[in-house]
Amino acid sequence: MEANGLIEDERSSSSSSAVIEHKAFARIGLVGNPSDVYYGRTISLNIQNFWACVTLQPSSDLLILPHPTHDLVQFNSLSQLVNRLENEGYYGGVRLLMATCKVFKNYCKEQGIHLHNNNFSLSYDTNIPRQAGLSGSSAIVCATFSCLLDFYKVRDKIPVEMRPQLILNAEKELGIVAGLQDRVAQVYGGLLYMDFNKESMNKHGHGIYTQLDTSLLPPLHLIYAENPSDSGKVHSAVRQRWLDGDKFIVSSMEEVANLALEGKKALLEKDYAKLAILMNQNFDLRRRMFGDAALGALNIEMVEVARSVGAAAKFTGSGGAVVAFCPDGPSQVELLTDACKKVGFSIVPVKVVPSLLNEIDIRTLSKSANTQA
Ligand SMILES: Nc1ncnc2c1ncn2[C@@H]1O[C@H](COP(=O)(O)OP(=O)(O)O)[C@@H](O)[C@H]1O
Ligand SMILES: O=C(O)[C@H]1O[C@H](OP(=O)(O)O)[C@H](O)[C@@H](O)[C@@H]1O
Ligand SMILES: [Mg+2]
């Protein structure tokens, strides 16, 4: 999978050629996550550094093809099998492809959207570090969803703002606790401010999504480590406390949501000193709510290494990767790079994906759900 020409591939892949291929990119929660799971607000960006790719090929039977490494079922030994399960869990991407097909079919049925009866095979590949809080799971779902939109030629019938919820429903179907920010960033591309206020969510089934100019962003860095963690598991205890009305969780989540509101202002004003403060506050609030055991020692260390050189740092998602910002510029980036290398963390400069919406997608957008800043 080559990084060059990615965006062109993504835009041209909806042609009527027999094989349909779609990419969906990793995302970084910049400020406000995980309040997206709780009627909050977030600012997120879609990044070119990593992506999942799904291929749909017309076929006589409907086939979901397991990935040769991510859905491993053949092992050298019992120890290899156990080692694999202990490090990566039982599941690969097959269940995500299947759940996407189910959610897509049921939604079309509910909406009276006609689907032809031809069959297809689906396969996937991904270079998004596994379960690293970079939305590897929803990238697979999102790319699958895009393939189905084009195979059935219904892109014009499913509004863009509804798609993130459908993509989320595929993971809910599997019992994974997750929020909308990943899917919004992956459907729209670019940099987005998202407001998931209860009124809009209940009334329309989606939030209000504002595409921000990606040039507002300062240079950012992504730090990650081989350390898969199950985002569903990380979230479930806090989610339960929130559902139970736990005052500390409810008010902390509101505080996190407010950081995104302030973050939008800071970005629009290019007030990066403020942005750095907000990113740090975001992580500190997450740490207080989730506790160190749930966050994981290695994940906390990634933030601490970044902070040791004065960079602002927070999780991109539920854990596994960190987004860092060096307010002092290139010399601080150098210090950060050295500090990461010393402890074995990977670090790369963030490359933002521009908006991914094509003309058909844009025509489906409703004014109330989308604004331009
Ligand atoms: N790289 C991957 N390859 C295959 N399946 C994956 C991958 N990453 C995630 N999944 C699937 O998605 C589920 C949820 O992953 P999640 O913990 O949300 O990771 P992420 O932070 O990458 O979104 C996993 O249990 C697994 O079934
Ligand atoms: O905790 C978070 O910030 C996010 O966790 C999940 O993303 P993941 O990439 O799987 O860690 C979740 O889906 C998001 O909605 C949360 O904001
Ligand atoms: Mg996920």
Side-chain angles (χ1 to χ4, degrees):
M1 295 166 99
E2 255 304 312
N4 292 336
L6 273 180
I7 307 304
E8 217 160 279
D9 289 354
E10 171 62 22
R11 282 182 183 152
S12 60
S13 57
S14 57
S15 73
S16 57
S17 61
V19 177
I20 297 169
E21 194 171 279
H22 275 288
K23 290 182 178 122
F25 300 89
R27 72 88 192 84
I28 287 178
L30 184 64
V31 196
N33 57 308
S35 77
D36 58 308
V37 187
Y38 307 93
Y39 298 116
R41 307 176 193 90
T42 61
I43 299 175
S44 311
L45 52 137
N46 208 210
I47 60 165
Q48 287 187 37
N49 305 68
F50 302 107
W51 64 93
C53 182
V54 174
T55 306
L56 182 153
Q57 195 144 19
S59 64
S60 47
D61 292 321
L62 201 154
L63 293 171
I64 307 289
L65 301 170
H67 187 279
T69 51
H70 302 308
D71 298 289
L72 206 59
V73 283
Q74 189 176 341
F75 304 90
N76 294 333
S77 63
L78 193 55
S79 316
Q80 195 208 354
L81 179 147
V82 172
N83 188 35
R84 157 87 188 195
L85 297 183
E86 277 172 0
N87 289 321
E88 304 198 12
Y90 282 88
Y91 303 116
V94 160
R95 63 177 186 152
L96 299 175
L97 303 188
M98 289 203 195
T100 313
C101 291
K102 180 178 172 190
V103 166
F104 176 83
K105 161 86 173 122
N106 286 349
Y107 177 78
C108 290
K109 194 171 168 202
E110 257 168 51
Q111 298 295 314
I113 300 171
H114 172 75
L115 299 180
H116 60 66
N117 288 320
N118 300 339
N119 278 334
F120 55 83
S121 72
L122 275 179
S123 57
Y124 77 97
D125 198 1
T126 177
N127 59 18
I128 303 178
R130 189 190 167 89
Q131 299 190 274
L134 288 164
S135 275
S137 58
S138 50
I140 296 170
V141 179
C142 185
T144 307
F145 196 83
S146 290
C147 287
L148 295 175
L149 286 177
D150 289 336
F151 181 64
Y152 289 102
K153 297 193 166 49
V154 293
R155 192 169 276 280
D156 59 326
K157 297 191 174 65
I158 305 187
V160 172
E161 59 267 24
M162 287 310 299
R163 295 179 201 167
Q165 184 63 56
L166 297 172
I167 292 166
L168 177 59
N169 289 351
E171 285 186 63
K172 280 196 174 161
E173 177 75 22
L174 301 170
I176 300 168
V177 178
L180 275 167
Q181 67 142 344
D182 319 337
R183 293 87 193 152
V184 176
Q186 286 164 332
V187 166
Y188 284 72
L191 172 67
L192 285 126
Y193 172 72
M194 311 168 193
D195 180 343
F196 303 101
N197 72 77
K198 204 172 190 168
E199 197 195 331
S200 173
M201 292 301 295
N202 290 345
K203 195 161 158 199
H204 306 293
H206 53 73
I208 301 163
Y209 310 132
T210 309
Q211 287 188 292
L212 300 173
D213 187 342
T214 56
S215 71
L216 293 170
L217 283 169
L220 298 170
H221 283 80
L222 182 68
I223 302 168
Y224 58 99
E226 278 294 318
N227 180 32
S229 75
D230 184 327
S231 81
K233 266 194 210 148
V234 172
H235 275 278
S236 51
V238 168
R239 169 108 190 128
Q240 194 50 54
R241 284 174 69 188
W242 183 84
L243 288 170
D244 294 342
D246 180 315
K247 284 208 178 85
F248 172 68
I249 297 293
V250 171
S251 66
S252 304
M253 232 20 121
E254 275 166 18
E255 269 186 74
V256 175
N258 285 336
L259 298 178
L261 196 60
E262 289 185 66
K264 181 180 166 206
K265 187 166 175 278
L267 278 177
L268 291 173
E269 291 170 0
K270 296 201 174 180
D271 182 352
Y272 299 133
K274 179 74 183 176
L275 182 69
I277 294 171
L278 297 172
M279 288 171 68
N280 281 330
Q281 285 177 338
N282 201 152
F283 178 72
D284 296 344
L285 281 162
R286 179 189 290 266
R287 190 169 184 178
R288 263 181 262 149
M289 284 187 284
F290 286 75
D292 287 8
L295 296 191
L298 197 70
N299 293 332
I300 294 170
E301 194 189 340
M302 277 191 263
V303 171
E304 280 171 352
V305 165
R307 289 186 178 179
S308 72
V309 302
K314 65 179 285 297
F315 286 5
T316 58
S318 60
V322 159
V323 54
F325 166 49
C326 293
D328 297 344
S331 58
Q332 198 175 28
V333 170
E334 232 171 85
L335 290 177
L336 177 64
T337 308
D338 290 347
C340 287
K341 286 198 177 138
K342 223 179 257 166
V343 284
F345 296 152
S346 304
I347 173 162
V348 288
V350 166
K351 288 191 249 161
V352 188
V353 174
S355 170
L356 292 171
L357 303 183
N358 67 24
E359 275 173 34
I360 305 174
D361 296 325
I362 290 168
R363 278 203 294 274
T364 72
L365 288 173
S366 86
K367 288 215 172 63
S368 63
N370 302 275
T371 55
Q372 208 81 35

